């Protein structure tokens, strides 16, 4: 089954370019396009794509608000959303991750990383452009308005600490398994345990928590 993708970007040329790139990839099908966030939310609810690929800055409603509506805490069945941006160190990106996005890639990252991010999101995983992960998250970890972070009632195990550090570097589950010399299922078990202990929803929030608490 092909991964069904909804693309939202206010620039027609960007949307056309993304469609050309994705439609030439085996296992991916672009099922719709939106020119603003409001239209993106409506189309997502109508078409039920496997993955939404949203630009951050759009008219009517930006990608962050659209992501919060579709993937935030109030969403009954959160959509898998990947953000694309031209900004590699931008508060909008951080806010998008907090809103529920499973990852983000830069628009100039190239087709390979974009396709990896889409497949990762479709599989319940997440991918953040490695070139910006540590810099982006560590910058906002030092910010003054981080708020109170939940601390684990049950201490993290040594293996969980190792997995958390690797997540914060933007590694996928498969890459973490290789680094720790464990099975993929073991990595998923560690991440599930981390999410439960830290009261977060996904690996992107794990990465944010790691940087904000200087675990990364």
């Amino acid at each position: 089954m092909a991964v069904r993708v909804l693309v939202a970007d206010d620039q027609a040329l960007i949307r056309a370019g993304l469609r050309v790139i994705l439609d030439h990839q085996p296992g991916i099908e672009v099922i719709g396009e939106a020119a603003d966030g409001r239209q993106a939310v409506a189309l997502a609810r109508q078409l039920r794509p496997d993955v939404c690929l949203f630009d951050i800055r759009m008219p009517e409603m930006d990608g962050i608000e659209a992501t919060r509506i579709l993937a935030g805490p109030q969403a009954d069945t959160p959509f898998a959303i990947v953000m694309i941006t031209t900004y590699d160190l931008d508060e909008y990106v951080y806010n998008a991750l907090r809103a529920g996005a499973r990852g983000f890639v830069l628009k100039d990252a190239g087709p390979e990383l974009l396709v990896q991010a889409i497949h990762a999101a479709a599989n319940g995983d997440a991918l953040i452009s490695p070139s910006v992960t540590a810099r982006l998250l560590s910058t906002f970890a030092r910010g003054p308005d981080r708020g109170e972070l939940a601390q684990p009632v049950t201490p993290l195990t040594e293996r969980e600490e190792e997995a958390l550090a690797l997540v914060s570097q933007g590694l996928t589950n498969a890459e973490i398994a290789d680094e720790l010399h464990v099975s993929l299922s073991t990595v998923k078990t560690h991440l599930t345990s981390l999410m439960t202990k830290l009261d977060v929803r996904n690996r992107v929030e794990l990465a944010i928590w790691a940087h904000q608490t200087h675990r990364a």
Side-chain angles (χ1 to χ4, degrees):
M1 294 289 290
V3 177
R4 301 163 65 252
V5 178
L6 170 66
V7 174
D9 194 293
D10 62 323
Q11 298 183 52
L13 285 176
I14 297 293
R15 293 198 307 275
L18 290 170
R19 177 180 279 277
V20 169
I21 290 171
L22 297 178
D23 278 344
H24 280 79
Q25 301 297 324
I28 293 180
E29 175 190 4
V30 177
I31 62 169
E33 298 180 19
D36 60 64
R38 197 174 304 280
Q39 184 182 19
V41 170
L43 279 177
R45 288 171 169 168
Q46 175 187 343
L47 301 176
R48 308 303 299 181
D50 300 309
V51 176
C52 298
L53 188 62
F54 286 177
D55 186 23
I56 289 179
R57 294 184 174 181
M58 294 188 289
E60 298 294 329
M61 178 189 295
D62 64 25
I64 297 169
E65 183 60 25
T67 296
R68 185 175 294 112
I69 292 171
L70 295 174
Q74 304 305 316
D76 293 333
T77 306
F79 284 81
I81 299 176
V82 174
M83 306 300 300
I84 52 174
T85 179
T86 56
Y87 307 98
D88 65 349
L89 197 62
D90 193 329
E91 184 175 1
Y92 289 114
V93 180
Y94 176 81
N95 289 338
L97 299 180
R98 295 294 293 176
R102 289 191 181 173
F104 73 86
V105 294
L106 300 180
K107 288 183 178 178
D108 62 358
E112 183 177 354
L113 191 63
L114 178 62
V115 170
Q116 289 178 10
I118 289 172
H119 281 296
N123 292 328
D125 205 338
L127 187 149
I128 307 173
S129 292
S131 62
V132 301
T133 300
R135 190 166 72 252
L136 174 72
L137 297 179
S138 62
T139 295
F140 287 99
R142 295 193 298 269
D145 298 319
R146 295 177 302 172
E148 290 297 323
L149 296 173
Q151 298 298 317
V153 175
T154 304
L156 305 186
T157 67
E158 182 178 351
R159 264 309 199 213
E160 288 170 349
E161 292 277 8
E162 292 172 345
L164 181 63
L166 294 174
V167 166
S168 72
Q169 296 171 29
L171 273 64
T172 64
N173 284 2
E175 291 169 334
I176 293 173
D178 288 340
E179 286 286 332
L180 298 182
H181 305 291
V182 297
S183 68
L184 194 58
S185 62
T186 298
V187 172
K188 291 180 179 179
T189 297
H190 288 323
L191 297 188
T192 298
S193 178
L194 282 167
M195 291 176 200
T196 300
K197 288 182 177 182
L198 302 179
D199 191 27
V200 300
R201 295 168 297 170
N202 53 55
R203 62 189 295 116
V204 175
E205 291 187 0
L206 281 178
I208 293 171
W209 189 92
H211 281 273
Q212 289 184 330
T213 56
H214 307 291
R215 292 298 218 284

